[in-house]
Amino acid sequence: MSTPFLYALVGTGLFALGLFALIIHAHLLRKILALNVMGSGVFMVLVALAKRTGDAPLDAVPHAMVITGIVVAVSATALALTLMLKLNAKSGHAELPDDRRE
Amino acid sequence: MNWNAWMPPLMIASSLLPGLIIFGLTEERVRLRTVLNLSGALVKLVLVGFVLWGVSQGQQYETRLALLPGLELVLRAGPLSLLFVSLSAVLWLVTTVYAIGYLEHSPHRSRFFGFFSLCVTATVGVALSGNLITFLLFYELLTLATYPLVVHRGTEAARHAGLIYLRYTITGGALLLVATVWLYTLTGTLEFTPQGFLDSLGAEHHTALIIIFTLLIAGFGVKAALVPLHGWLPQAMVAPAPVSALLHAVAVVKAGAFGIVRVVYDVFGVEFAANLGVLAPLAWLAAITIIYGSLRALFQDDLKRRLAFSTISQVSYIVLGTAIAGPVAAIGGVVHLVHQGLMKITLFFCAGNLAETLGIHKISEMNGVGRRMPWTMAAFTIGAFGMIGAPPVAGFVTKWYLGLGALQAGQEWVIIVLAGSSLLNAAYFLPILHRAWFQEPPSTWPKEFDFGRKETAWMLLLPPVITALMALAAGLLATSTFSPLEWAQFIAEHEFSRP
Amino acid sequence: MGAVFTEFPWGVILILLPVTGGMLCFLWPQIAKITGLFIVFAVALLVVGLAWQIFDNGVYRHAVGGWGAPLGVDLYADGLSLLMLAITALVGIGISVYSATYFKHEQAVLFWPLWLFLLAALNALFLSADIFNIYVTFELMGLAAVALVALAGSREALGAAMRYLLAALLGSLAYLLGVALLYHGFGTVDIALLAERAEPSPIIWAALGLMGAGLLLKTALFPLHFWLPPAHASAPTPVSALLSALVVKASFYILLRLWLEIFGPLVGGAGVEQLLGLLGAAAILWGSVQALRQTRLKLLIAYSTVAQVGYLFLAFPLVAATGVSAWSAVTYLVLSHALAKAAMFMAAGNLLCFGGHDRIADLDRVVQRLPLTAGAFALAGVSIMGLPPSGGFIGKWLLLEAALMQGRWDLVVVMILGGLLAAGYIFKVLGYAFTQADVSHESKAVPASMEWAALLLAVAAILLGFLAVPVLSLVSIGDPFGIGEVRP
């Protein structure tokens, strides 16, 4: 098993782990963290897969993508945290109201 | 595009434009609204007259507009179209006058007359449609335009009636849509053609065609109030009287019946449909509807409800005449489109007059009303005799041709249906006439309005008198040129002559 | 002069202008409204310019900064992109005119920059030629949309925005993982190159699963629609209109593009399209029934969106034999739903503003008291029900035609049932609009521009029913559906 492949596998694992946490945790901060873990997983896959077959030189495109991705993730996290704080201020707890009407 | 191509759109625009302008008018602009209404109706009448003359001179009036790749909106003023257009143009004018008088002091008239004009637009569109998709388009427009009229009063009962009306008509429309698309995928055309356009389809498609026919008849049967699809019609009686007149005589019910005529003649073709074996069941269904409607009418005390069930019965004469599949019966069916319209609108106008002048809604309240309102009841009497089929009113002509046509086509059972229906018609109309003319009037009427020396407002009185006279004339002058009967014979020759 | 039009980089300006405008609005709130309106109208003109160019030169392709793929960003527009840009501009104008009077004070200050950012993201998305760029624009769109939902500031709105954000982020991360896999497999993110290089392999399936799931989540296809009704119902009215009319369509557009170019040719016939069709059918029935059960107008409309999204997916199983009419149907449904749903939400917003509530049973004679709004709702409803004459009817006709040609009676029944249920929920509202409520409420005047914006969009949805021939020939430029161009 090559090193890049291992990294990619770990990345996928992080993605799955984050998804699991996103679903089972009610607290919004945990959900946001879970999404960040998922994001890191995806970035790791991207970085790892930049090493393509054989001895070809490293591909720079996925790295560029990861940088863009990180920027997007930071802004998304900022928005999520602000929303969570606002919701907390309005409703007194940082959890989603269970939608029983559904 | 030559000048003739402008005529069908103009006929539609003559009611569409006034309608759209009226929507924008405030409630107080009574005079402008009246002028718009009447001038629209008059312009339409002139246009129809012009086109009628043109068609009799062999002119073609056709407009086409691409709707989808390979499908066009087609408006064509053929003989059958013109019969229906003339009927609705004439009756629209009369009904407009009546409605102006009837709604003189009620609220929301701009909305009412807007949708009223839209309704007539849709009816004229249905009449002029040159293919099935155009027909479908205007047919659905008719449903949408009549809904606000049915719920016009805004009461809970009206809302409920509107809901029932929609349940029937929207479902019917959905069936039509499926049938139309299906037909299109089979044939690649939807153009109305005398003797139909399905001849080329092989026997392997016959089952599909029978189902399509059933779907189409069910879709149109809803509006034509064929039993068991008639349930909405008596419910819709909560609407104001001019709306009932429109529903029963001019627009909705007629559009359904007209659709059935179109399907049998110009989609399937009489011969093809007869060979498929779908006409005999249709004839039976019509016969059942005729008898059932009459029987139910017999037991209604509410005047408008009795008239409603009478409509259910009478409209099926048109279907019956179509389904007998013979040239003479076809004349009877097609001409009844006009005759029933004239007679039934008279009756509804009169019923509206009784309600508006004396507060009479029930037959049991009609004792001696003929002395209080002689003109109204005279018109009513003519209409009623027409329905029964007594000569010389128009209804007699219909029944004569239907009977003759049935004998010619070797379907003697139809005579029994006709006779039975006439007896029933007499049984539910004659007692009303007896009450009105020969019983003593009560000392007070349920809710009397004062109109001075006249029996009621002239705008309410004139329309029924005119339509009653027309019904009489259609019977008396049946053999003169340009009478409905002559025109129907012209159509029947068209449909039954092999090229 | 012709050269100026044909060489001008319309696409770039289409993205830059709203971004710049958004920043201006943010920096100088006092001129936000004027700037916003100006930019939206300017964008509409730019779309006209782009259309001109595409008519003259065929498909538009522009390498930003001259870099070109794989490192640079390419812009690409064919008939389908053009149509999406056009509908965005058209609905955008309606929504902007509406918002100009709807939002007051601090809300307006927040609305205009966000809306212009959203517009920029939408334009960029429709012009993107590679799947990574789509990810970025997709994320931008999502973030702007979430912030717009939160604008209402109420507890429900914040909760709904949060739920929406989580769903959106999950969806786009799944999508991004799919992008990574595709890049690894075929060494490019350019859609056209991918279409050439891709071949059936496990990577394709994994990428389809991830990207598909992510996009379906954001398109709110049943059963992944859970976030949509609360978000669309609790957002401020113009935002609800934006979300239902445009944002949902944007993620559907990506899905459609990917399916047409990359996945469809590779995995077609393996049951994926049947699954999508099945989910679509379930969405139609479930969404419609839920809509019928609602007592609040905005929730009803939101569930109606869930149902209408279902129609878009019915086309997938129908494409196999009769490509042209099923994809044409989808195009038409997307366009007419965008117009009609925006009009409908605006009408609902007017009613909300008028009576202070949106309980359907208490609409209290709005037909008389607010005729333009009632008319807008009714006309939009005609298109949603698929009754003629309307854009919705054309879409439904084409879809029915495709279904009947293939003998898919199950889908025919679903479509008809969906139409009947839609008639049920729309006339439920219209019926109560005629009657008097038990208790009459105080009412507030509704600004005329808000009524007219709703009405004009609804009229546009009706008029669309008469424009099928030009619209369908427009969308075939560049042959997005792989069935040959139909030049008029």
Side-chain angles (χ1 to χ4, degrees), chain B residues 223 225 229-237 247-248 253 308-309 311-312:
Chain B
K223 280 211 174 105
L229 308 170
H230 64 286
W232 61 273
L233 192 58
Q235 293 278 345
M237 289 291 93
L247 291 180
H248 285 256
V253 174
F309 278 107
T311 301
I312 294 174

Side-chain angles (χ1 to χ4, degrees), chain A residues 12 15 19 22 28 31-32 35-36 38-39 41-43 45-46 49 51-53 59-62 64-66 68-69 72-73 75-77 79-81 83-84 86-87 90-91 93 96-99 101-102, chain C residues 70-71 132 135-136 139-140 142-144 146-147 150 153-163 165-166 169-170 173-174 176-177 179-181 183-187 189 210 225-226 229-230 286 290 299 303:
Chain A
T12 322
F15 186 86
L19 183 60
L22 177 71
L28 286 174
K31 279 188 188 287
I32 294 167
L35 277 169
N36 271 294
M38 285 176 74
V42 178
F43 299 150
V45 173
L46 268 173
L49 296 182
K51 172 104 180 134
R52 297 174 61 78
T53 45
D59 189 349
V61 174
M65 288 183 191
V66 169
T68 318
V72 172
S75 20
T77 310
L79 178 64
L81 289 174
L83 260 184
M84 186 191 81
K86 283 207 157 190
L87 190 64
K90 278 265 176 191
S91 66
H93 41 89
L96 280 180
D98 260 349
D99 218 15
R101 287 166 299 155
E102 277 271 312
Chain C
L71 263 180
F132 185 75
Y135 161 75
V136 176
E139 198 73 308
L140 281 179
L143 296 184
V146 168
S154 67
R155 214 171 97 187
E156 292 77 37
L158 289 173
M162 194 71 219
R163 194 185 297 272
L165 177 62
L166 295 176
L169 288 178
L170 177 60
L173 280 175
L176 185 61
L177 193 53
V179 172
L181 291 178
Y183 187 79
H184 173 66
F186 309 106
V189 285
L210 284 164
H225 66 284
F226 58 91
W286 171 260
Q290 286 297 322
L299 266 175
Y303 273 108

Side-chain angles (χ1 to χ4, degrees), chain C residues 251-476:
Chain C
S251 39
F252 178 77
Y253 166 84
I254 304 172
L255 193 67
L256 186 61
R257 270 268 185 246
L258 295 182
W259 180 262
L260 289 170
E261 303 277 341
I262 304 172
F263 296 117
L266 295 180
V267 306
V272 179
E273 53 279 73
Q274 301 301 334
L275 177 70
L276 288 175
L278 190 70
L279 290 179
I284 293 174
L285 297 178
W286 171 260
S288 303
V289 169
Q290 286 297 322
L292 202 54
R293 289 182 48 208
Q294 299 305 316
T295 54
R296 305 293 285 262
L297 188 52
K298 281 185 85 177
L299 266 175
L300 181 149
I301 302 174
Y303 273 108
S304 155
T305 299
V306 172
Q308 296 289 317
V309 163
Y311 279 101
L312 305 179
F313 286 91
L314 283 195
F316 284 83
L318 294 176
V319 170
T322 53
V324 58
S325 73
W327 290 133
S328 306
V330 166
T331 318
Y332 238 81
L333 287 170
V334 166
L335 296 182
S336 53
H337 181 250
L339 289 169
K341 199 41 81 64
M344 205 173 239
F345 262 120
M346 289 182 187
N350 289 345
L351 297 175
L352 196 65
C353 165
F354 177 71
H357 69 86
D358 70 342
R359 289 184 301 277
I360 294 165
D362 291 348
L363 280 177
D364 202 10
R365 294 169 291 135
V366 288
V367 171
Q368 288 110 43
R369 304 200 292 166
L370 226 51
L372 291 180
T373 295
F377 188 91
L379 290 179
V382 168
S383 183
I384 297 283
M385 288 184 273
L387 290 182
S390 70
F393 170 71
I394 298 289
K396 203 163 160 187
W397 172 282
L398 292 170
L399 207 55
L400 266 177
E401 196 185 321
L404 280 166
M405 273 187 178
Q406 302 188 26
R408 289 297 301 262
W409 281 98
D410 47 344
L411 298 184
V412 172
V413 169
V414 167
M415 273 183 252
I416 293 302
L417 271 181
L420 292 180
L421 288 168
Y425 60 74
I426 281 161
F427 278 107
K428 172 176 152 182
V429 178
L430 287 177
Y432 281 111
F434 277 89
T435 55
Q436 188 150 15
D438 298 337
V439 194
S440 275
H441 295 273
E442 288 281 307
S443 56
K444 261 176 35 189
V446 178
S449 64
M450 281 163 63
E451 290 213 79
W452 280 102
L455 186 64
L456 289 179
L457 281 185
V459 169
I462 298 290
L463 289 182
L464 199 57
F466 295 100
L467 298 174
V469 175
V471 167
L472 291 180
S473 77
L474 191 70
V475 77
S476 72

Side-chain angles (χ1 to χ4, degrees), chain B residues 5 16 75 86 94 119 128 153 192 215 227 257 259 268 270-271 279-280 332 351 370 407 422 473 477 483:
Chain B
L16 181 63
L75 294 173
S86 323
V94 196
C119 219
L128 291 175
R153 291 201 205 273
F192 289 145
L215 286 173
V227 169
F268 281 75
V270 180
E271 264 180 47
L279 287 187
L407 287 181
S422 292
L477 309 173
S483 76

